[in-house]
Amino acid sequence: MRAKRRGQDSVIADLRQEGALKALFPRVRGNALDAVFLNTSGGLTGGDRMVIAAEAEAGAHIVLSSQAAERGYRAQPGEVAQVDVTLRAGAGARIDWIPQETILFDHAALSRRLSVHLVGDGSALIVEPLVLGRQAMGETVRAVLFRDQWRVWRDGALVFADAISLAGDATALMARQATGQGARAMATVLLAGPAAAERYGRLRLDGLSGASLIADDLLLVRLLANDGFDLRHQMLGVITALADVPIPRVWRL
């Protein structure tokens, strides 16, 4: 999908959708274009592929979220679900990628790739929360394959790269002192744009979570929590501090 600036508002310039992935457009609450993605298949398993591409043209603002938590289900041996997201923001534009949690079940296999391309003073807020099973249901993730790769370019130059890999017993991996110290849920948040340094001072983090101002225009936040409920409470505060518009209604507890 692509959005453009019309007066003070951001509106749809182009939209294409197919397969199980659909886009919904709630009633606008401000000048940004709100888009909510829905995976009508109900989740991801080995062999599935989901591709999302969104562009905010010069001066436009897109806020993208998901209608519900994504689910990574048990995959057959050797099969890995693929998710590719490409975001572009032109000069003076902003794009917010704020999907709800991805829940990984035992024996899930998921590989994600996120590419962000910024022009001039274009900005992006990226939020990716991850939950290892549903603790309230007594679920334990003993075998999983999860890869998450982020790349951010500004005017063609690579300014940020990050990768997370979980392979094997995720519960044991997250129990280690140097990884999660027993956390069952985590999130990575990145604000790339001129407001990063100023928004850094607004953050209030809990427990093992932390933030790093990598550059004046690049702020990274890592969140850790005991479960998805605690993680969401942390994220609501972080998103409120970093966003320019109200949190999408689908995020409200």
Side-chain angles (χ1 to χ4, degrees):
M1 66 167 292
R2 181 164 51 87
K4 65 181 179 180
R5 183 77 173 268
R6 178 186 292 166
Q8 296 300 313
D9 299 327
S10 296
V11 299
I12 300 171
D14 186 45
L15 175 65
R16 176 186 175 187
Q17 53 188 351
E18 60 181 325
L21 194 61
K22 306 299 181 184
L24 308 174
F25 298 91
R27 183 176 299 175
V28 175
R29 294 172 294 153
N31 301 126
L33 174 64
D34 285 335
V36 177
F37 288 98
L38 170 64
N39 180 5
T40 60
S41 69
L44 296 166
T45 187
D48 289 345
R49 188 182 181 198
M50 187 165 70
V51 178
I52 296 175
E55 178 181 358
E57 294 184 353
H61 186 180
I62 305 177
V63 180
L64 303 106
S65 54
S66 59
Q67 189 180 56
E70 189 60 86
R71 290 163 172 81
Y73 291 119
R74 183 187 185 99
Q76 294 298 317
E79 294 187 346
V80 180
Q82 306 282 338
V83 177
D84 291 296
V85 178
T86 302
L87 308 175
R88 300 179 185 275
R94 174 153 172 159
I95 190 161
D96 295 356
W97 173 254
I98 316 178
Q100 296 190 64
E101 300 86 350
T102 294
I103 303 173
L104 294 182
F105 294 92
D106 203 22
H107 292 279
L110 173 61
S111 178
R112 298 191 309 203
R113 183 173 59 189
L114 172 73
S115 300
V116 182
H117 301 269
L118 306 173
V119 176
D121 60 350
S123 300
L125 172 62
I126 311 298
V127 179
E128 278 289 5
L130 182 71
V131 178
L132 300 173
R134 298 170 299 182
Q135 190 169 358
M137 302 294 291
E139 296 169 350
T140 303
V141 182
R142 294 295 183 188
V144 71
L145 174 63
F146 175 71
R147 295 190 293 262
D148 198 18
Q149 177 180 288
W150 294 21
R151 298 290 185 270
V152 179
W153 288 268
R154 185 177 296 280
D155 295 327
L158 182 65
V159 295
F160 179 79
D162 187 53
I164 294 176
S165 178
L166 292 174
D169 189 334
T171 301
L173 289 170
M174 291 300 292
R176 295 176 181 175
Q177 188 74 14
T179 52
Q181 298 189 36
R184 295 279 299 271
M186 58 183 174
T188 301
V189 180
L190 180 73
L191 177 60
E198 184 268 330
R199 300 297 170 89
Y200 176 67
R202 300 185 186 184
L203 292 173
R204 299 295 181 267
L205 303 177
D206 301 327
L208 300 174
S209 300
S212 177
L213 187 62
I214 301 173
D216 287 344
D217 63 349
L218 207 58
L219 171 60
L220 178 67
V221 183
R222 303 279 196 191
L223 303 177
L224 292 173
N226 293 326
D227 55 32
F229 186 80
D230 289 342
L231 180 67
R232 179 165 287 214
H233 271 290
Q234 288 195 56
M235 286 191 296
L236 287 173
V238 170
I239 295 171
T240 299
L242 301 184
D244 288 339
V245 294
I247 295 174
R249 287 193 178 99
V250 293
W251 263 89
R252 290 299 181 181
L253 291 169

